[in-house]
Amino acid sequence: GAEVYRDMDSLLANASEDAFVIGGASVYRELLGRCDTVYVTKLHAAWPADCWFPNLDQDPAWTVAQEEEVLEEQGIKFHYVTYRKA
C-alpha cells in the first residue's frame, strides 16, 4: 500500500494529509516543517554517519507527546518518542 514519489511536486500534489515520511536526510529537511507529528526511534548506540535527524528535544517548535520505555532487540537498546508541533 505504499506510494513512492520521485520528486517533491508529485508528492505534495498527491500524498494524503496523514502520509508518513520515510527519509533520507534531504526528504526530512524538505518536509519536517510541514509535519505536525513525528515518530522517532531513538537508538541507544552510535554508528559512523555523515548526517543525523534533527534533535527535536532542542527545537522549541516541538514537544514530547509520548515517550515509551526502553526496549532491546538483538543487543541494541532503543525507545520510541512521539513529538507534536507546539
Side-chain angles (χ1 to χ4, degrees):
E3 295 180 37
V4 177
Y5 298 98
R6 303 282 180 213
D7 60 73
M8 198 60 61
D9 291 336
S10 297
L11 169 71
L12 295 174
N14 294 294
S16 65
E17 182 123 346
D18 64 347
F20 278 74
V21 175
I22 301 173
S26 63
V27 174
Y28 291 140
R29 194 170 32 257
E30 283 288 324
L31 292 174
L32 186 59
R34 295 176 180 267
C35 296
D36 59 13
T37 303
V38 177
Y39 303 98
V40 175
T41 303
K42 292 191 173 189
L43 302 175
H44 298 219
W47 291 272
D50 59 358
C51 57
W52 293 264
F53 190 80
N55 185 343
L56 299 183
D57 293 322
Q58 296 177 347
D59 187 335
W62 295 95
T63 59
V64 174
Q66 185 174 358
E67 192 160 5
E68 302 291 330
E69 65 185 53
V70 174
L71 302 169
E72 186 171 342
E73 182 71 34
Q74 297 181 4
I76 299 172
K77 292 182 180 181
F78 61 95
H79 73 284
Y80 302 113
V81 182
T82 301
Y83 294 89
R84 300 242 192 266
K85 193 167 274 184

